[in-house]
């Protein structure tokens, strides 16, 4: 005896020994059958098992035949019963085989062997006795038709929907005994005969693409609306009979039994074959139209049977099985309709068919075709509850079809996006095959085209639209409208494209879809995804800049690896050039790295986008860092780190067309300074300070990242604000150093409490003075005035609602123009407060200190 | 279908005689419930390990197959029916004496005839069925017969003589003198019964449709399966009379029961094979099977090389001929929690096998429970014999001595309404059902187990 069988017997004996006769081993064969199965008969004590009317009737003891495969415990045993008392009940197949596992590969535990098997059987019996193998809120085990691969495959793509008869769900019951027609209520239709339009695909596969009524089938045919071919695939009809009750849990193997079974459900035989005749005749005519020579190769004739044996979301749906007629049956079906024809030849054929029909039905077998369900109404997508659910039915633009973009396009296609625009200007080279999903045959072809060709084979609706060229040619071209899609994915890792998108998007921000950008580090161990929701103030370039800043400042420790990889202080000198001299530097990384990063980054991006990400990703702008290594730079870091930012406060300088994005922390700091000043010096006293940030001339964008309060040598009064310089140089240097020049001196801000956010003549002169060409002096500077009428001002000061902002970028003028400084308003000097942390106005400080301040000020004026 | 309604006095304390009321008062009393039973059926009595089967052909004719009246055995522990008392109370009367149309003895073991002498004394037995083996027993001194078997034999001999003299006088024997000898014996010629005319002799393969001289073929048939000629000298059990009894009512409903005495595997298999071969499967049909030999495992297990080997073929034969909701009746004491080697029936092993082939296995001593068993009653239904559920049989005090006239019921109903009064402690329930199977899985897996006692191990120094 082989080891597997010995183990099975040992386990069964142990069970029997422990059971006090509850488990009896009745037959322990000394060896396996000729076919290699060990047949053990055992008996279980089932006395007192709680039962229900609709459940399986258990005797006090029940016998079971265990068929132990030679591969036990790695192969699952089969359990049969030595009787047919349970035939026709759910989860009993072939009349005597218990369907114990829905998914043996998951549910069968080899290590638990017979113990698990018997435990499972006990559970099955208990549920079967209560009739709860198909709980009311669970999917049903549909009836079985024993299919043969030789009969081909029917892929049902189209929902039956309203074409199916109404079915009420009283919970599953054993198939009802035949009912006489008068038992049905008058408005209940016990069945419907409809037609499925099929397209013959490669091999023996048919795709059922549309359901129509019999009337519509004939109408379309007679008006020439049924093409003989669609996209080169032969078109044919298949009759479907849809009933409101179930027939049996196993479909018969004989045509006569099937037809009788349908009759018992109220489907008249004549009606059934009349419908089959209508379809058979049309099928033949379509085949004749397709025939290139005199030889007509007719389509196979099929009958689909649908009974309400599926349940999805608590609703009963029709389960379909498909019978392929044999040749005689097809011939009969094609000619039945002509019995009444005027043409004597046709009429003879029709009569012949009518005559042969009963004999054929009596003798024919039902050859069941494997039905593969693709109907949305009865299937649940395998990616349900995953992030890609967001994509279903949406239109996506993927810019870049390289290492990240190509897999992402594929994710979109499989995820159910309605349309995916794949944009790339590059061609496939041999080197990229190492990690990009292209083939040798694609070499020299446009990536976008090659990708579209491959991925459009995944679905029948050709969702991928290739766009050959650069982003600058298409979506980011001058005056191009916002992309008419639901999502833009930037997978180019091209800073020019990224900057251009930042510029274009800012102009028509409200009309832009959300943007996801993905990029990976130099050795493909780290990836970054940025997400900008619809209307977010910044896109990829903006969010990456924020990530860089965060990595330099608040999150320096946790993002050290990101900064080192993506934002190195010194440019990476050892750039990797795969084809030295002839290719641009790129990263090193394998297909496995790329698959991992592309999947993870895209998933993270979609989660953030759909609002299913963590709390750290619940803002308008999000960055996510994906790490393939748990430890980087010697520190354990999480696989995923999220950061997010709220929208900036926007302003612009219409004169030069730059957008000013004041970060929320910068605005909050200005407000804090205003509030501190108001408490200390009085609400009417102006205040201000330095602006720190960056000017990007490519994006035409000015970022205000941070602000300071007035330096100690400033003078502040209700009518004037003198920005001092004490410590300013140090402060700017500090920021510049800390952020690796991302944030540096940008300009100055001051407040106009309860006044207009517009420059006074003094302000204008100040601006010009600011950019006076002196050594180390700034070339240009941003002047920001926060103000607003009393209401706006108070709302800002008290509640944090954004104030009015005036912004102007002042550039150094070439050619000497004397600066006319307006006189300082009278009373300023005596009433002014010093900046910094002084707690008294200038007038009350010591004479000595006042002298110092004023001297310094007059020196600067000169 | 003729049916009579009868009243059941629902005594709050079953078994106590209601005092101070007459039967008539009880009949009209407010505690009375009423139900109805047809006038045909079978009753299996709780008589501990032994057989007592009463067949009610109609309201005038009752046939008793075997008897085991333990009430006479004075066994304090047994919870048993006083069958003779009850028959005397309920049987129809002829000439002022209770009348039993026939008594059939399958074989002469005590557990099949205990109480016969008392019965013979108190009722008129119209016809007696005996097997030739009885005469052989009597000639072989090494096989002792019990007193009741002896009484049966004496009565049988008397009837043979009476019949012969009646025949000699050109008359039919009178009711009370009739006898039918059933089965073969190579020793026929040695005994007086061999001189009986053929109508008083029956053989396997024959159907008997008259009882006590009356043709009842429209409602009763007894098909004789055994004893076989080849077995005439075998062990007494193997010479048991084996019958298929068919009852039929006016509407054509039929019920079938197999009464196979104490037969074992070989003979039972032969019965099925013979009748299948003779193409008379209807003679093997049953809805009620009296488990042969009080649920002995020898029906389906044969000892080979010292171990019991299951013979599924006989079970398959039994199952294959079962109709509708088949019931196996085990006429025995309650099942013990377990069997030891050498235990007498009932055998748990046999019960388990019957449970696999029948919808119901009923032990007379445990129906509905072992503290107060009721007779197991079957009536005719659409699918043959159907069990009359316990609540329909009700209860009447054993000593209430209520004849059927007193409660206005048919014989079947009156017999059914018997309660066995003596109580005793209920046996601990045997663990059973799928819960036990599940428990076995846990035990056999052993992954919840931990050592239950300390174990000592010696170090090197302890080794001398």
């Amino acid at each position: 005896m082989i080891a597997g069988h010995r183990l099975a017997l040992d386990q069964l004996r142990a069970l029997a020994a422990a059971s006090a006769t509850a488990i009896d081993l009745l037959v322990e064969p000394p060896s396996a059958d000729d076919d290699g199965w060990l047949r053990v008969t055992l008996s279980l004590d089932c006395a007192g098992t709680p039962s229900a009317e609709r459940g399986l009737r258990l005797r006090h003891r029940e016998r079971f035949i265990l068929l132990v495969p030679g591969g036990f415990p790695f192969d699952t045993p089969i359990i049969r019963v030595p009787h047919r008392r349970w035939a026709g009940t759910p989860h009993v197949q072939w009349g005597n085989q218990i369907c114990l596992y829905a998914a043996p590969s998951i549910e069968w535990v080899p290590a638990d062997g017979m113990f698990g098997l018997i435990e499972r059987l006990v559970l099955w019996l208990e549920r079967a006795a209560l009739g709860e193998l198909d709980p009311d809120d669970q999917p049903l085990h549909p009836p079985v038709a024993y299919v043969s691969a030789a009969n081909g495959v029917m892929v049902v793509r189209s929902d039956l929907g309203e074409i199916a008869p109404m079915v009420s769900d009283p919970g599953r019951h054993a198939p009802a005994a035949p009912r006489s027609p008068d038992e049905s209520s008058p408005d209940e239709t016990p069945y419907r005969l409809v037609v499925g339009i099929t397209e013959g695909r490669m091999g023996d596969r048919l795709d059922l693409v549309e359901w129509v009524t019999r009337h519509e089938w004939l109408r379309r045919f007679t008006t020439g609306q049924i093409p003989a071919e669609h996209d080169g695939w032969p078109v044919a009809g298949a009759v479907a009979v849809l009933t409101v009750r179930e027939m049996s849990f196993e479909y018969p193997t004989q045509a006569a039994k099937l037809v009788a079974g349908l009759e018992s459900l109220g489907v008249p035989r004549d009606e059934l074959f009349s419908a089959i005749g209508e379809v058979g005749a049309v099928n033949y005519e379509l085949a004749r139209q397709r025939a290139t020579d005199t030889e007509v190769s007719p389509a196979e004739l099929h009958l689909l049977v649908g009974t309400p044996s599926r349940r999805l979301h608590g609703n009963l749906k029709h389960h379909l099985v498909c019978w392929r007629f044999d040749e005689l049956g097809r011939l009969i079906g094609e000619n039945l309709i002509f019995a009444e024809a005027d043409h004597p030849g046709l009429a003879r054929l029709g009569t012949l068919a009518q005559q042969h029909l009963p004999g054929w039905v009596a003798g024919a077998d039902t050859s069941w075709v494997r039905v593969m369900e693709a109907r949305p109404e009865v299937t649940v997508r395998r990616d349900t509850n995953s992030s890609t659910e967001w994509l279903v039915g949406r239109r996506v633009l993927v810019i870049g079809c390289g290492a990240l973009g190509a897999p992402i396009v594929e994710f979109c296609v499989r995820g159910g996006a309605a349309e995916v625009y794949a944009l790339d200007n590059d061609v496939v080279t041999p080197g990229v095959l190492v990690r990009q999903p292209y083939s040798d045959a694609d070499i020299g072809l446009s990536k976008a085209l090659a990708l579209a060709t491959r991925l459009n084979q995944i679905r029948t609706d050709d969702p991928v639209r290739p766009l050959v060229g650069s982003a600058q040619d298409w979506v980011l071209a001058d005056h191009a409208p916002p992309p008419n899609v639901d999502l833009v994915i930037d997978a180019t890792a091209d800073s020019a494209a990224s900057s251009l998108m930042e510029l274009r998007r800012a102009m028509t921000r409200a009309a832009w879809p959300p943007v996801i950008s993905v990029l990976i580090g130099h050795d493909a161990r780290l990836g970054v995804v940025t997400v900008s929701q619809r209307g977010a103030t910044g896109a990829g370039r903006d969010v990456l800049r924020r990530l860089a800043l965060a990595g330099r400042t608040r999150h320096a420790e946790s993002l050290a690896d990101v900064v080192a990889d993506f934002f190195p202080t010194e440019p990476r000198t050892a750039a990797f050039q795969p084809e030295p001299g002839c290719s641009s530097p790129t990263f090193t990384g394998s297909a496995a790295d790329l698959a991992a990063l592309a999947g993870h980054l895209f998933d993270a991006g979609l989660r953030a986008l759909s609002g299913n990400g963590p709390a750290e990703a619940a803002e308008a702008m999000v960055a996510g860092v994906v790490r393939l290594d748990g430890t980087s730079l010697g520190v354990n870091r999480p696989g995923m780190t999220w950061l997010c930012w709220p929208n900036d406060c926007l302003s612009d300088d219409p004169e030069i067309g730059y957008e000013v994005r004041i970060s929320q922390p910068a605005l909050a700091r200005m407000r804090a300074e205003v509030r501190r000043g108001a408490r200390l010096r009085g609400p009417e006293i102006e205040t201000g300070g330095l602006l720190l940030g960056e000017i990007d001339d490519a994006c035409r964008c000015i970022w205000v990242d941070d602000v300071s309060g007035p330096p100690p040598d400033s003078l502040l009064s209700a009518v004037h604000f003198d920005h001092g310089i004490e410590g300013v140089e140090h402060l700017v240097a500090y920021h510049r150093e800390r952020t690796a020049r991302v944030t540096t001196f940008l300009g100055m801000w001051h407040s106009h409490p309860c006044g207009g956010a517009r420059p006074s003549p003094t302000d204008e002169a100040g601006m010009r003075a600011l950019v006076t060409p002196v050594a180390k002096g700034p070339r240009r500077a941003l002047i920001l005035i926060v103000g607003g009428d009393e209401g706006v001002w108070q709302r800002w000061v008290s509640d944090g609602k954004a104030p009015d902002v005036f912004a102007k970028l002042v550039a150094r003028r070439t050619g000497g123009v004397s600066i006319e400084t307006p006189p300082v308003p009278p009373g300023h000097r005596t009433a002014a407060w010093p900046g910094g942390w002084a707690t008294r106005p200038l007038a009350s400080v010591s004479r000595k200190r006042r002298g110092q301040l004023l001297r310094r000020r007059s020196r600067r004026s000169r | 279908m003729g049916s009579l309604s009868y009243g059941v006095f629902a005594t709050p304390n079953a078994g106590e005689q209601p005092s101070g009321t007459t039967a008539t008062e009880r009949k009209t009393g407010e505690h009375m419930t009423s139900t109805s039973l047809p006038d045909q059926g079978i009753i299996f009595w709780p008589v501990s390990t032994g057989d007592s089967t009463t067949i009610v052909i109609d309201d005038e004719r009752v046939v008793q197959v075997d008897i085991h009246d333990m009430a006479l055995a004075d066994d304090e522990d047994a919870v048993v029916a006083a069958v003779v008392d009850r028959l005397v109370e309920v049987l129809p009367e002829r000439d002022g004496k209770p009348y039993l149309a026939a008594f059939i003895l399958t074989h002469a073991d005590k557990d099949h005839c205990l109480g016969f002498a008392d019965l013979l004394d108190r009722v008129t037995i119209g016809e007696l069925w005996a097997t030739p083996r009885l005469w052989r027993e009597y000639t072989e001194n090494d096989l002792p017969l019990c007193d009741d078997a002896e009484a049966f034999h004496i009565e049988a001999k008397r009837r043979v003589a009476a019949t012969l003299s009646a025949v000699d006088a050109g008359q039919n024997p009178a009711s009370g003198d009739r006898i039918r000898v059933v089965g073969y014996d190579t020793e026929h010629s040695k005994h007086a019964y061999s001189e009986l005319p053929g109508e008083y002799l029956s053989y396997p393969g024959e159907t008997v449709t008259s009882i006590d001289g009356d043709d009842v073929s429209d409602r009763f048939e007894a098909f004789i399966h055994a004893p076989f000629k080849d077995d005439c000298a075998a062990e007494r059990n193997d010479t048991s009379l084996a019958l298929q009894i068919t009852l039929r009512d006016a509407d054509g409903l039929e019920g079938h029961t197999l009464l196979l005495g104490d037969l074992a595997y070989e003979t039972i298999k032969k019965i099925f094979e013979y009748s299948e071969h003779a193409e008379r499967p209807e003679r093997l049909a049953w809805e009620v099977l009296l488990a042969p030999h009080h649920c002995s495992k020898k029906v389906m297990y044969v000892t080979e090389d010292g171990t019991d080997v299951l013979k599924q073929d006989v079970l398959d034969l039994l199952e294959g001929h079962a109709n509708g909701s088949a019931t196996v009746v085990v006429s025995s004491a309650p099942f013990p929690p377990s069997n030891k080697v050498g235990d007498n029936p009932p055998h748990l092993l046999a019960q388990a096998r019957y449970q696999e082939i029948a919808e119901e296995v009923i032990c007379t001593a445990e129906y509905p429970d072992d503290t107060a068993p009721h007779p197991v009653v079957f009536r005719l239904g659409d699918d043959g014999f159907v069990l009359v559920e316990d609540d329909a049989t009700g209860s009447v005090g054993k000593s209430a001595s209520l004849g059927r006239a007193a409660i206005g019921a048919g014989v079947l109903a009156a017999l059914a309404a018997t309660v066995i009064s003596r109580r005793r402690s209920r046996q601990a329930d045997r663990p059973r059902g799928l819960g036990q199977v599940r428990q076995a899985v846990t035990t056999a897996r052993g992954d919840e187990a931990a050592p239950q006692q300390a174990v000592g191990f010696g170090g090197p120094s302890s080794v001398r």
Side-chain angles (χ1 to χ4, degrees), chain A residues 98-410:
Chain A
I98 291 180
C99 186
L100 209 53
Y101 297 99
S105 59
I106 301 163
E107 295 163 318
W108 167 250
V109 184
D112 209 17
M114 288 296 168
F115 307 117
L117 186 83
I118 299 300
E119 201 167 50
R120 183 74 173 211
L121 178 60
V122 168
L123 186 66
W124 190 94
L125 290 168
E126 286 170 342
R127 289 197 180 154
L130 287 170
E132 289 176 353
L133 285 171
D134 290 306
D136 287 350
D137 54 344
Q138 291 294 307
L140 295 176
H141 188 301
V144 192
Y146 298 104
V147 303
S148 160
N151 297 328
V153 167
M154 173 76 78
V155 181
V156 185
R157 298 192 177 277
S158 175
D159 275 344
L160 280 165
E162 298 296 313
I163 210 164
M166 282 286 289
V167 179
S168 58
D169 185 0
R172 192 174 213 169
H173 43 82
R179 271 194 299 178
S180 58
D182 53 77
E183 277 182 79
S184 337
S185 59
D187 54 333
E188 182 189 344
T189 324
Y191 72 98
R192 271 188 202 170
L193 282 160
V194 299
V195 183
I197 299 178
T198 68
E199 295 172 7
R201 300 274 164 163
M202 272 168 295
D204 246 353
R205 175 182 139 194
L206 287 176
D207 280 21
L208 197 159
V209 295
E210 191 184 358
W211 295 101
V212 292
T213 61
R214 282 169 71 186
H215 177 265
E216 174 67 8
W217 167 253
L218 291 177
R219 190 195 68 76
R220 285 199 199 174
F221 175 69
T222 50
T223 55
Q225 289 180 61
I226 301 179
E229 290 184 346
H230 180 248
D231 284 347
W233 307 117
V235 173
V239 174
V241 52
L242 308 171
T243 65
V244 297
R245 285 188 296 138
E246 295 191 272
M247 186 160 78
S248 63
F249 294 107
E250 287 175 294
Y251 280 101
T253 51
Q254 284 127 30
K257 284 189 179 167
L258 179 68
V259 172
L262 289 171
E263 277 187 311
S264 77
L265 295 181
V267 186
R269 182 182 296 236
D270 291 350
E271 185 89 8
L272 176 67
F273 281 99
S274 160
I276 290 169
E278 287 165 13
V279 171
V282 170
N283 281 359
Y284 184 82
E285 179 55 23
L286 293 173
R288 208 186 53 75
Q289 290 172 16
R290 280 193 297 273
T292 46
D293 47 34
T294 50
E295 189 80 8
V296 177
S297 55
E300 300 285 353
L301 192 55
H302 295 87
L303 173 68
L304 290 135
V305 179
T307 56
S309 311
R310 280 173 179 259
R311 196 189 281 120
L312 194 70
H313 310 310
N315 295 315
L316 275 187
K317 298 285 181 191
H318 281 80
H319 172 72
L320 294 169
V321 294
C322 180
W323 164 27
R324 185 165 88 172
F325 283 26
D326 59 22
E327 194 175 359
L328 179 59
R330 175 178 60 72
L331 283 168
I332 292 173
E334 285 169 356
N335 292 294
L336 277 174
I337 203 172
F338 300 120
E340 311 284 318
D342 295 332
H343 188 282
L346 280 179
R348 201 163 51 247
L349 274 177
T351 310
L352 214 57
Q354 295 279 13
Q355 284 166 357
H356 279 87
L357 178 63
W360 174 75
V361 168
D365 287 337
T366 46
S367 320
W368 294 109
V369 173
R370 178 159 187 199
V371 173
M372 295 186 173
E373 284 291 5
R375 279 183 289 157
E377 67 186 5
V378 294
T379 51
V380 180
R381 290 182 60 96
R382 283 171 165 73
D383 58 1
T384 295
N385 296 331
S386 74
S387 60
T388 57
E389 237 182 4
W390 187 89
L391 294 166
V392 176
R394 288 197 151 98
R395 306 164 76 234
V396 184
L397 164 65
V398 181
I399 304 172
C401 298
L404 289 177
I408 286 174
V409 174
E410 184 163 346

Side-chain angles (χ1 to χ4, degrees), chain A residues 14-15 18-20 22-24 26 43 45-47 49 57 59-61 63 112 115-116 118-119 122 125-126, chain B residues 301 310 312 316 319 349 352-353 355-361 431-438 440-441 443-445:
Chain A
L15 282 164
S19 75
I23 303 172
D24 269 357
L26 299 181
S43 157
D45 188 342
C46 304
T49 308
R57 195 176 153 80
R59 289 179 175 169
H60 283 207
R61 291 193 78 94
R63 280 186 297 150
D112 209 17
F115 307 117
I118 299 300
E119 201 167 50
V122 168
L125 290 168
E126 286 170 342
Chain B
Y301 284 90
L310 173 66
Q312 186 66 40
D316 290 344
E319 185 177 21
L349 218 46
R353 299 295 81 79
Q355 285 173 337
E356 289 156 11
I357 62 161
E359 296 300 321
E360 195 85 57
V361 177
R432 61 207 291 257
L434 291 173
Q436 177 69 6
V437 176
R438 187 174 268 125
V441 173
T443 309
R445 255 194 203 122

Side-chain angles (χ1 to χ4, degrees), chain A residues 562-585:
Chain A
V562 177
V563 167
D565 199 348
F566 292 91
F567 313 110
T569 315
E570 297 300 325
R572 213 171 289 286
T573 50
F576 172 65
Q577 265 191 303
E579 293 91 25
C582 296
S583 64
S584 45

